[in-house]
Amino acid sequence: MDITQLPSWQQLETLAQHMRRRHLRDLFAADPERGRRFSLELPEFLFDYSKNLVDDEVLVKLLQLARDADLGTWRRDMFAGAPINRTEGRPVLHAALRGGLPDSVELHGGAVQSQVESELGRLKEFVNLLHNGGVTGCTGKAITDVVNLGVGGSHLGPQMVIEALRAHRRGDIRVHFVSNVDGAQLADVLEQLDTETTMFVVSSKTFTTTETLTNARSALRWFGDMMSQEQILHSHFVAVTANPEKAREFGITPQRVFQFWDWVGGRYSLWSAIGLPIAIAIGFNGFRALLDGAAGMDRHFREAPLEENAPVLMALLSLWYCTFMGYPAHAVLPYEQALHMLPAYLQQADMESNGKSTTRAGEEATYATGPLIWGMLGINGQHAFYQYLHQSPEVVPADFIGSVTPGHDLPGHHEILLANMLAQSQALMNGVSVGQVASELAAKGLSEDEVAALAPYKVHRGNKPSNTILLRELNPGSLGALIALYEHKIFVQGVILQIYSFDQWGVELGKGLAAALQPQLESGDAHDQDTSTSQLIDFYQRVRSGTPVHGAAG
């Protein structure tokens, strides 16, 4: 089936042309109940999608497209453990990691949920021992610092969650992160630490990731001759991997190797043993609450009708803008300091999943498959790129995210913060007309000529759409629900746009090229490279060897 040939798709293309001539101000004026009708109140948050450039007809057609794309079957198959990641021949079962699957789902002869709970039990025991002083370094001193060595999903998810749950940290063990193979990051972290009281968590799905293993070897050398290498690996190193044999070959004791499975994508892995740093930072009970919050969103996604299903509606709105309206970017704007890493996390989750150009039929996609995701903390953004959002000719749909309950007890701050969030979404929606600007300037005493000269620069055309997600409180449960909301949104978009969301061949391409180039950087022999790469390697060699480098002629 070619999705673009469906009547619902073609009707949406026609509706998009019509909606480009509508204004959000008019949609609100025509429907006094719009805010209520275009909102969902869930246990953890209010999802207000009323400030979107859609009407009932558009929503009906978007929901029809989802049905025509057989979303219900794909959703059922994912939760049933079918191999929907067909390019890799794997199921997609990250929902199992938080208890979101029926007990009847089996893989390789064993119940998936039983495997997950068994590994969670091991994780819980280790974390509790660590906090109780039962895990020590070589010299018998209790561990005070844990350094996570990982990259991509083995790094970004856990760090984002720990930052988001800063108010829930236990505080007795500090958690640090190193992802960059640039040795400066590792050196900066090690500078703060004591070899006797530091433990490293080496997180790698394959346990072959060059960046992670390079950092792990450097961390091992940092211990010097304090003890034998075997003793250091036994007492100061833990592994989290889907390839336990490789971790054991590295020298990490089997009791300290925690497993997840090949049916867990890296960017969906924070719910697995990859979340060990989270469990250390906020305690295992906090980690369990995070999983439970995500499991609640899993149930909502599985059971709610499409028209009342938050991930489905978010996906349809994103698809509407990117694929039909021609708006190629989407901004994530948290008004919550603790969520400062969420935009970066969602960049990976969304763009690594749906940044594809080949359909499930193996053909070139003739439509946009996903937006460019970007953003930062809302208050900081207001003094940076919001000028672009408000007055650029481009339209960038946005998600505003905040919480009712502050994560601190400083009076007055939170009301100012939320007032800014609400004001920005309102300003993007309404804008300011030339008539309003002229009246304001005239009231300040400007002459007609002065008003005419200045007014065009102060006009904001508005009609910039947004969602608002207002959490009751930012805690482990609500954060789990929020992350799972976006995970399922991404899945729905991929299903409707007929792409495979759970592989990442573009990531693998760069890794392979880097492995081939590394020895050439060391040897300087780049005769088989293109002239640009060859020139760059030659420059690198000359600078490193101290050979004079001449400036360009001119």
Side-chain angles (χ1 to χ4, degrees), residues 214-226:
T214 299
N215 282 328
R217 294 185 187 100
S218 293
L220 183 58
R221 287 193 295 272
W222 174 65
F223 286 91
D225 56 3
M226 182 176 79

PDB file of all heavy atoms in Angstrom, residues 214-226:
ATOM      1  N   THR A 214      37.459   2.875  24.723  1.00  0.00           N
ATOM      2  CA  THR A 214      38.659   3.711  24.862  1.00  0.00           C
ATOM      3  C   THR A 214      38.651   4.423  26.206  1.00  0.00           C
ATOM      4  O   THR A 214      39.660   4.466  26.924  1.00  0.00           O
ATOM      5  CB  THR A 214      38.725   4.733  23.709  1.00  0.00           C
ATOM      6  OG1 THR A 214      38.810   4.039  22.465  1.00  0.00           O
ATOM      7  CG2 THR A 214      39.939   5.643  23.862  1.00  0.00           C
ATOM      8  N   ASN A 215      37.514   4.982  26.574  1.00  0.00           N
ATOM      9  CA  ASN A 215      37.402   5.645  27.879  1.00  0.00           C
ATOM     10  C   ASN A 215      37.564   4.647  29.013  1.00  0.00           C
ATOM     11  O   ASN A 215      38.178   4.969  30.054  1.00  0.00           O
ATOM     12  CB  ASN A 215      36.046   6.356  27.987  1.00  0.00           C
ATOM     13  CG  ASN A 215      36.012   7.666  27.227  1.00  0.00           C
ATOM     14  OD1 ASN A 215      37.021   8.353  27.102  1.00  0.00           O
ATOM     15  ND2 ASN A 215      34.851   8.035  26.707  1.00  0.00           N
ATOM     16  N   ALA A 216      37.033   3.434  28.844  1.00  0.00           N
ATOM     17  CA  ALA A 216      37.155   2.426  29.894  1.00  0.00           C
ATOM     18  C   ALA A 216      38.617   2.024  30.110  1.00  0.00           C
ATOM     19  O   ALA A 216      39.080   1.866  31.248  1.00  0.00           O
ATOM     20  CB  ALA A 216      36.314   1.208  29.548  1.00  0.00           C
ATOM     21  N   ARG A 217      39.366   1.867  29.028  1.00  0.00           N
ATOM     22  CA  ARG A 217      40.785   1.504  29.164  1.00  0.00           C
ATOM     23  C   ARG A 217      41.578   2.631  29.820  1.00  0.00           C
ATOM     24  O   ARG A 217      42.476   2.385  30.647  1.00  0.00           O
ATOM     25  CB  ARG A 217      41.366   1.150  27.797  1.00  0.00           C
ATOM     26  CG  ARG A 217      40.766  -0.121  27.192  1.00  0.00           C
ATOM     27  CD  ARG A 217      41.452  -0.522  25.901  1.00  0.00           C
ATOM     28  NE  ARG A 217      40.757  -1.636  25.258  1.00  0.00           N
ATOM     29  CZ  ARG A 217      39.907  -1.517  24.247  1.00  0.00           C
ATOM     30  NH1 ARG A 217      39.672  -0.307  23.727  1.00  0.00           N
ATOM     31  NH2 ARG A 217      39.308  -2.576  23.744  1.00  0.00           N
ATOM     32  N   SER A 218      41.238   3.869  29.471  1.00  0.00           N
ATOM     33  CA  SER A 218      41.922   4.998  30.111  1.00  0.00           C
ATOM     34  C   SER A 218      41.569   5.074  31.596  1.00  0.00           C
ATOM     35  O   SER A 218      42.414   5.391  32.435  1.00  0.00           O
ATOM     36  CB  SER A 218      41.544   6.309  29.414  1.00  0.00           C
ATOM     37  OG  SER A 218      42.053   6.328  28.094  1.00  0.00           O
ATOM     38  N   ALA A 219      40.316   4.778  31.929  1.00  0.00           N
ATOM     39  CA  ALA A 219      39.909   4.760  33.337  1.00  0.00           C
ATOM     40  C   ALA A 219      40.664   3.681  34.102  1.00  0.00           C
ATOM     41  O   ALA A 219      41.093   3.888  35.246  1.00  0.00           O
ATOM     42  CB  ALA A 219      38.408   4.525  33.434  1.00  0.00           C
ATOM     43  N   LEU A 220      40.869   2.530  33.477  1.00  0.00           N
ATOM     44  CA  LEU A 220      41.618   1.446  34.124  1.00  0.00           C
ATOM     45  C   LEU A 220      43.065   1.864  34.372  1.00  0.00           C
ATOM     46  O   LEU A 220      43.624   1.604  35.459  1.00  0.00           O
ATOM     47  CB  LEU A 220      41.543   0.200  33.244  1.00  0.00           C
ATOM     48  CG  LEU A 220      42.202  -1.075  33.773  1.00  0.00           C
ATOM     49  CD1 LEU A 220      41.609  -1.478  35.116  1.00  0.00           C
ATOM     50  CD2 LEU A 220      42.034  -2.208  32.753  1.00  0.00           C
ATOM     51  N   ARG A 221      43.683   2.546  33.407  1.00  0.00           N
ATOM     52  CA  ARG A 221      45.061   3.015  33.592  1.00  0.00           C
ATOM     53  C   ARG A 221      45.149   4.065  34.701  1.00  0.00           C
ATOM     54  O   ARG A 221      46.190   4.192  35.356  1.00  0.00           O
ATOM     55  CB  ARG A 221      45.603   3.591  32.284  1.00  0.00           C
ATOM     56  CG  ARG A 221      45.933   2.536  31.229  1.00  0.00           C
ATOM     57  CD  ARG A 221      46.751   3.124  30.087  1.00  0.00           C
ATOM     58  NE  ARG A 221      45.991   4.117  29.330  1.00  0.00           N
ATOM     59  CZ  ARG A 221      45.200   3.817  28.295  1.00  0.00           C
ATOM     60  NH1 ARG A 221      45.063   2.548  27.905  1.00  0.00           N
ATOM     61  NH2 ARG A 221      44.553   4.757  27.653  1.00  0.00           N
ATOM     62  N   TRP A 222      44.084   4.809  34.920  1.00  0.00           N
ATOM     63  CA  TRP A 222      44.070   5.858  35.952  1.00  0.00           C
ATOM     64  C   TRP A 222      44.358   5.289  37.340  1.00  0.00           C
ATOM     65  O   TRP A 222      44.933   5.975  38.194  1.00  0.00           O
ATOM     66  CB  TRP A 222      42.694   6.541  35.912  1.00  0.00           C
ATOM     67  CG  TRP A 222      42.431   7.561  36.981  1.00  0.00           C
ATOM     68  CD1 TRP A 222      43.073   8.741  37.166  1.00  0.00           C
ATOM     69  CD2 TRP A 222      41.420   7.487  37.986  1.00  0.00           C
ATOM     70  NE1 TRP A 222      42.533   9.425  38.239  1.00  0.00           N
ATOM     71  CE2 TRP A 222      41.508   8.675  38.750  1.00  0.00           C
ATOM     72  CE3 TRP A 222      40.443   6.546  38.322  1.00  0.00           C
ATOM     73  CZ2 TRP A 222      40.654   8.934  39.828  1.00  0.00           C
ATOM     74  CZ3 TRP A 222      39.593   6.804  39.381  1.00  0.00           C
ATOM     75  CH2 TRP A 222      39.705   7.980  40.121  1.00  0.00           C
ATOM     76  N   PHE A 223      44.019   4.023  37.578  1.00  0.00           N
ATOM     77  CA  PHE A 223      44.251   3.415  38.888  1.00  0.00           C
ATOM     78  C   PHE A 223      45.723   3.117  39.131  1.00  0.00           C
ATOM     79  O   PHE A 223      46.131   2.860  40.262  1.00  0.00           O
ATOM     80  CB  PHE A 223      43.435   2.124  39.031  1.00  0.00           C
ATOM     81  CG  PHE A 223      41.967   2.361  39.230  1.00  0.00           C
ATOM     82  CD1 PHE A 223      41.104   2.420  38.144  1.00  0.00           C
ATOM     83  CD2 PHE A 223      41.433   2.529  40.497  1.00  0.00           C
ATOM     84  CE1 PHE A 223      39.752   2.631  38.319  1.00  0.00           C
ATOM     85  CE2 PHE A 223      40.072   2.738  40.686  1.00  0.00           C
ATOM     86  CZ  PHE A 223      39.229   2.802  39.596  1.00  0.00           C
ATOM     87  N   GLY A 224      46.532   3.144  38.060  1.00  0.00           N
ATOM     88  CA  GLY A 224      47.962   2.899  38.206  1.00  0.00           C
ATOM     89  C   GLY A 224      48.234   1.515  38.760  1.00  0.00           C
ATOM     90  O   GLY A 224      47.592   0.530  38.394  1.00  0.00           O
ATOM     91  N   ASP A 225      49.188   1.442  39.710  1.00  0.00           N
ATOM     92  CA  ASP A 225      49.554   0.145  40.292  1.00  0.00           C
ATOM     93  C   ASP A 225      49.015  -0.002  41.705  1.00  0.00           C
ATOM     94  O   ASP A 225      49.599  -0.666  42.553  1.00  0.00           O
ATOM     95  CB  ASP A 225      51.073  -0.029  40.271  1.00  0.00           C
ATOM     96  CG  ASP A 225      51.791   1.124  40.983  1.00  0.00           C
ATOM     97  OD1 ASP A 225      51.106   2.020  41.528  1.00  0.00           O
ATOM     98  OD2 ASP A 225      53.037   1.120  40.992  1.00  0.00           O
ATOM     99  N   MET A 226      47.858   0.634  41.958  1.00  0.00           N
ATOM    100  CA  MET A 226      47.237   0.549  43.280  1.00  0.00           C
ATOM    101  C   MET A 226      47.019  -0.907  43.683  1.00  0.00           C
ATOM    102  O   MET A 226      47.244  -1.308  44.815  1.00  0.00           O
ATOM    103  CB  MET A 226      45.897   1.297  43.261  1.00  0.00           C
ATOM    104  CG  MET A 226      45.170   1.325  44.588  1.00  0.00           C
ATOM    105  SD  MET A 226      43.658   2.326  44.507  1.00  0.00           S
ATOM    106  CE  MET A 226      42.522   1.202  43.715  1.00  0.00           C
TER     107      MET A 226
END
